[in-house]
Amino acid sequence: MTDTNQTDAVPGRAITTPRSGKASATIYDIAALAGVNPSTVSRALSKPGRVSAKTQQKILDAAEELNYQVNIFARALPTGRTQTVGLIVSDITNPAFFDIIRGAETAAASRDYTLMLAESTESAEHEMTAAKRMLATVDGLILASPRLANEEIQELAAKKPIVLINRRVDGVASIVADTETGVAEAVRHLAAQGHTSISYVAGPERSWMSARRWESIKARCDWHGMKLSQVASGMPTVEGGRRAAAVVKDGEATAVFCYNDLMAIGLMRELQGAGVSIPEQLSIMGFDNIFGSDFTTPPLSTIKSPLHELGVTALSRLLEFIVPGDQAGLVESSAGTEAGASTTAPGAVGQAGAGAGGAAAAALSTELVLRGSTGAARPA
């Protein structure tokens, strides 16, 4: 018994129909079933519109019947592209990345690209390993909140197009959430509520964004004449917030910013367990406005980051590098080049495949979301 079926498409001719556990169908199988030349199948599958509508449909029907799957590596031979892009996030369990991933996927799908996902588990070593593996197969890579050193990111960018989210590195394209607007609103609100002493529970030491949030808060507190202190934590998780609770409770601050919403939620829970009333005794403010940040009691006040738009913009920017000059179908974004941001010409550090515009930093605005976790300062 053989693994062949007879078909009426080509009378008297046997073709191989793949079955479970057997070799996958090829364009030659499709050609035999459809009664056309293999070159016609290749044109129909790679560049629709180059054959007649009737022939195109015949080929598609044959491909479906044979359960044909495109081999991305074979398709990459003539074009040099696999139609895949990679995204590495620092912590897949952090809801802040959910919308970033969804935004990137939306933009990728709009251009018939497949998005491949990996996480670094907050480890620079794991991030480098994942990046090197991905770069062997994808057309370009997005690093979201990377923990790698600047030189390591530049080394990767010399190989293939790379776009960063919430990180700036000379010569590498980046999309960041501009903290200034949201922080200015938040500090102004706390000052109006009578707060004069603020604390910031920091994120990971390697976090570029944690340092930028601290700088923004410090600048606004200095403007309003408010005292500011920093609490080291390191873990951008609920547990990290819990671990900072004892230091916060013993401090003199009447309001606290946390590096992200997860830490703010952990801090709030731990302090409430110790009998601290929120916001009567202490106001708490997070960052990002993740899903679930309003599920706490009281709901968490936070500075909203444009997470979905960060993903869309980063992926769209990446595709501009991969296919220079071809922006058809790109998902539109309101991101623009930030005033004063440097633009480096391609080749300065090797932003592989960069377009004529070079590597630019684009910033998306943040905004204050007021809920129940902030209020008037407690009496002295």
Side-chain angles (χ1 to χ4, degrees), residues 80-260:
R81 295 195 293 270
T82 63
Q83 293 293 113
T84 62
V85 289
L87 169 61
I88 302 178
V89 300
S90 55
D91 181 5
I92 196 69
T93 66
N94 186 340
F97 292 111
F98 295 173
D99 281 341
I100 289 177
I101 295 169
R102 179 65 62 82
E105 170 60 26
T106 298
S110 74
R111 288 290 298 279
D112 195 28
Y113 268 75
T114 298
L115 182 69
M116 299 176 66
L117 182 65
E119 73 160 332
S120 66
T121 61
E122 295 290 345
S123 165
E125 181 180 356
H126 292 170
E127 188 169 56
M128 178 59 82
T129 299
K132 286 182 176 179
R133 287 174 177 169
M134 277 192 162
L135 285 179
T137 57
V138 300
D139 297 334
L141 184 63
I142 296 172
L143 300 177
S145 300
R147 305 306 185 215
L148 293 170
N150 288 357
E151 296 76 13
E152 293 173 313
I153 292 175
Q154 291 169 335
E155 175 189 335
L156 294 174
K159 299 175 181 177
K160 283 188 179 179
I162 285 182
V163 173
L164 308 177
I165 293 179
N166 283 343
R167 175 73 175 271
R168 288 202 184 108
V169 174
D170 286 345
V172 182
S174 64
I175 312 295
V176 301
D178 180 16
T179 62
E180 296 296 333
T181 304
V183 167
E185 290 182 78
V187 175
R188 188 183 307 115
H189 167 72
L190 293 175
Q193 293 293 312
H195 295 275
T196 58
S197 181
I198 309 292
S199 188
Y200 173 64
V201 180
E205 185 177 352
R206 281 179 171 263
S207 171
W208 180 90
M209 183 53 74
S210 180
R212 301 295 81 73
R213 288 172 176 174
W214 161 259
E215 291 171 357
S216 294
I217 295 169
K218 185 178 186 304
R220 301 317 301 178
C221 284
D222 288 346
W223 173 262
H224 288 280
M226 304 164 77
K227 295 172 61 176
L228 178 65
S229 60
Q230 183 171 150
V231 177
S233 173
M235 295 176 60
T237 60
V238 171
E239 180 59 27
R242 288 184 181 277
R243 292 186 180 184
V247 176
V248 171
K249 185 174 182 292
D250 292 339
E252 62 179 23
T254 59
V256 178
F257 283 93
C258 290
Y259 163 68
N260 65 15

Side-chain angles (χ1 to χ4, degrees), residues 16-29:
T16 300
T17 302
R19 297 179 181 176
S20 178
K22 303 297 182 180
S24 299
T26 68
I27 63 171
Y28 299 100
D29 299 322

Side-chain angles (χ1 to χ4, degrees), residues 328-359:
L330 283 177
V331 177
E332 291 188 0
S333 169
S334 62
T337 301
E338 182 184 25
S342 62
T343 300
T344 306
V349 292
Q351 174 71 51

Side-chain angles (χ1 to χ4, degrees), residues 355-369:
L364 304 180
S365 295
T366 55
E367 61 180 285
L368 174 64
V369 177

